[in-house]
Amino acid sequence: EVQLLESGGGLVQPGESLRLSCTGSGLTLRSYDMNWVRQAPGKGLEWVASFSGSGDGGHYADSVKGRFTISRDNAKNTVFLQMNSLRVEDTAVYFCAKPKYCGSDGCSGGLDRWGQGTLVTVSP
Amino acid sequence: QSVLTQPPSVSGAPGQRVTISCTGSSSNIGAGFDVHWYQHLPGTAPKLIIFANTYRPSGVPDRFSGSKSGTSASLAITGLQADDEADYYCQSYDSSLSGSVFGGGTKLTVL
């Protein structure tokens, strides 16, 4: 069974850092451009970042650009989200998700597998 | 303010049909990028219910359908059931932002 499991969330103060992990089972994460999506309390879904396995590296929402870095460890079958200079407005449940299809032309078909999410709380 | 605009809420009685709109612009839906739809219940992982504008993943009932025209897309749900009550989100890609974008979400209430 395909599963994604996030970890690493917690309570931090503004300006601090946190690293989230997303580990896959039943699938090889290097075959997909993995995504991070978040949902702040009472708000909707917000795309945060994606990691292109084709060599383009990370792509980021403007709200996190320059502060967050997405990376991947193929040996651990894990994708990371390094979050620096955290702000109160970064408080959210963070989900990792995989595209339905990925090939030589890129990924398509939406995000068909999601983890259960990990809660990040940034508070003074 | 989301790049993709959805109505905050829709409602319908059991058995009825409802539609949820998703309005974008020339840099996302209007540029030809696919629209995907998700069903989300609080405390759970979002579920892909429509991909590439009109396709249903395996296991999603045919009561759910999607369409796209110009700079907009729509999700239709027929034969409303109590367990359809959830938040629904559209998603596409935006070339100006060079990234994915979600609609603000629509809360469906089954009366």
Side-chain angles (χ1 to χ4, degrees), chain A residues 12-29:
Chain A
V12 296
Q13 294 188 336
E16 293 186 340
S17 298
L18 211 54
R19 189 177 79 158
L20 305 183
S21 300
C22 170
T23 300
S25 61
L27 78 163
T28 303
L29 296 193

Side-chain angles (χ1 to χ4, degrees), chain A residues 27-79:
Chain A
L27 78 163
T28 303
L29 296 193
R30 70 170 182 267
S31 300
Y32 301 94
D33 292 358
M34 295 299 293
N35 287 248
W36 287 96
V37 176
R38 68 184 181 183
Q39 184 177 35
K43 303 292 186 181
L45 299 176
E46 178 189 15
W47 173 78
V48 174
S50 64
F51 184 81
S52 171
S54 63
D56 293 344
H59 302 270
Y60 304 93
D62 287 345
S63 57
V64 306
K65 201 171 293 183
R67 300 186 299 122
F68 290 12
T69 302
I70 188 172
S71 61
R72 188 176 66 201
D73 185 327
N74 292 337
K76 296 181 178 179
N77 204 31
T78 298
V79 171

